[in-house]
Amino acid sequence: LSEKKREEWYVKITNHPELRWATARIAPKVIDTINIAKAAHLGARRVFYKLAGGEGENAYVLLDGSLHLPDDIAQETIIRGDEKVPLIAAASIIAKVTRDRIMVRLHKKISQYAFDAHKGYGTFLHCRLIRAYGISCAHRLTFCKKFIPHFSAVSSAPRKD
């Protein structure tokens, strides 16, 4: 979906009276510590517990890709679920729009990285700006090492460790 279409669907989904939804955010330092896959599972658990509350024992969860929850939660992981299951597609839209909005807000704080343009993805522009300005508090060191060998950890927006 285009950014405009995602925004339109986001409004429809989040305002739908019969849908409950939640998001979870995992800090860059945590992702660097536990790795991106474990961070995704942690995010899925956080969302599950936000939504299920004390009613989790009656829940059946549909997950996308390789996500999983603890074994005591009834669940099904569907590869390419966002293409096959409308509920997973809706969750994917909420996640993407939420992340994009976070990146636009981050751009207002540290504009030299142009987060509003690339939304934190490993584009040529993003990599070039990291090379120019170093690593910020918003960057994952593991991301930067992957795309920018011998990167400099010096930045005008220092990482807070």
Side-chain angles (χ1 to χ4, degrees), residues 14 25 108 124 158:
T14 59
R25 187 170 179 186
K108 292 175 183 175
F124 175 79

Side-chain angles (χ1 to χ4, degrees), residues 43-62:
R45 279 195 311 276
R46 287 181 180 175
V47 166
F48 173 77
Y49 291 118
K50 283 181 183 181
L51 291 173
E55 302 171 27
E57 64 276 357
N58 296 322
Y60 185 79
V61 182
L62 300 175

Side-chain angles (χ1 to χ4, degrees), residues 9 16 47 52 55 59 65 88 108 112 155:
W9 275 107
H16 194 286
V47 166
E55 302 171 27
I88 295 175
K108 292 175 183 175
Q112 70 266 32
S155 170

Side-chain angles (χ1 to χ4, degrees), residues 64-111:
D64 190 24
S66 62
L67 290 174
H68 62 81
L69 293 170
D71 291 338
D72 61 333
I73 298 169
Q75 61 193 286
E76 180 180 354
T77 297
I78 301 168
I79 304 300
R80 299 174 76 118
D82 59 339
E83 297 174 10
K84 300 173 182 175
V85 180
L87 196 58
I88 295 175
S92 179
I93 290 168
I94 290 172
K96 174 78 169 124
V97 170
T98 300
R99 183 181 184 282
D100 286 355
R101 289 177 177 183
I102 289 168
M103 298 311 289
V104 169
R105 283 194 307 272
L106 185 59
H107 171 75
K108 292 175 183 175
K109 293 180 182 177
I110 47 177
S111 61

Side-chain angles (χ1 to χ4, degrees), residues 107 111-133 139 143 148:
H107 171 75
S111 61
Q112 70 266 32
Y113 293 99
F115 287 120
D116 62 331
H118 56 72
K119 308 294 192 296
Y121 290 102
T123 65
F124 175 79
L125 172 64
H126 190 185
C127 295
R128 186 170 55 92
L129 293 172
I130 293 171
R131 283 189 198 101
Y133 298 108
H139 286 100
F143 168 88
I148 303 153

